[in-house]
Amino acid sequence: MLWAFKKEGPMNSQISTLETPSGSQEPVGEFETSLGGRERLLRACHCLPVDRPPVWLMRQAGRALPEYRKLKERRSFIELVKTPELAAEVTLQPIRRFGFDAAILFSDILVVPEALGQPYRFRDGGGIEMDFSIRTAEDIARLDCARVVDRLAYVADALEIIGNELNAETGLLGFAGSPWTLANYMIHGGSGREQTGARILLHTEPALFARLMEKLTFAVTEFLKLQITAGVDAVQIFDSCGGLLAENDFEEGSARWMRQIIAGIDGETPVIVFSKGVHGNWPALVNTGANVLGVDWTMDLPRLAAALPEQVAVQGNLDPALLTTEPEIVALESGRLLQAMANRPGHIFNLGHGVPPDARLECIWALIDTVRDIGWS
């Protein structure tokens, strides 16, 4: 056990060893001092011993925070995303309030389609609308890969501001949507319940589907490289639509493209892949080369972690709905998950999806306090 509830008393002082990714042996024993959040995150990504699991939450910036809502009264979401000073401010708000181990860039997965030449907006009645839908070879030809990095320079500017404002002990995460998830929005022309277009294209015109995915794979790779150059410590690929694919289509529809992206970046920056609703394709996800697999709240995390290769870390997976209940419930369920994962090195505590808009601040505090109560006695 690498860490334990303080109330359980002193840990066994016997020192064992854990093989690092480079093949060397690193002692596993008590930490004399606490780790900083950045180091804690990076060590967990590589399944190395930590004093306690690092904690950050998907969608920790925005939505539930009163300071974000106040800012949103004067600025549109897209304005917040595309203005470096504002994106930096929103990224830092949850760090100031809660002191998470890592900040995650405030942005949107659809900045990549926009940089390719397919802008988007939010409908008055809710949801996302793209300027046009991808339906033909001509539509795909309109997507311009050559200017992606230049058009996303505002993200690098935001990351520079964030990096200058963060203390040295807090990690910084970048992210992008997976090609498959982006394709669903682009082909559908926005958000909606019945996003079937990408699945239909995969089966009816596989060559055309591949052409779109090749462009998206290039764009996402370049976007993540931009963020790494700008100083992020790790990146997450959001494969939020992964669960829309049939099990036997997942490799061709999503996994192969994420594998190309991970192979195309520096090989040193940890990569987290969060594929929501993908419950029969864990070998394919492992084979993407991701250091960490995010797990949604419907899975038994300890059982899954035990079945994965020991060098693959896991992230998750508290039910986000619990943040709308009572602090006592959140503390109880967080404690159960932490205790169940206590024997598994490489656990990043997170939700099984994003923070809900109606999450209670007291519940977020209960989660954080429970995680922080874990450590060496």
Side-chain angles (χ1 to χ4, degrees), residues 71-85:
L71 190 60
K72 189 74 164 45
E73 290 173 0
R74 307 189 306 273
R75 310 281 190 165
S76 70
F77 176 86
I78 292 178
E79 188 178 3
L80 293 176
V81 166
K82 298 182 76 171
T83 307
E85 295 78 10

Side-chain angles (χ1 to χ4, degrees), residues 63 87 99 105 119 133 143 160 174 183 196 249 298 310 338 348 355 359 367:
R63 307 231 287 184
L105 169 71
S133 300
L143 301 176
E160 181 179 1
T196 59
D249 289 332
T298 63
E310 61 181 10
L338 288 161
I348 300 169
V355 174
L367 181 157

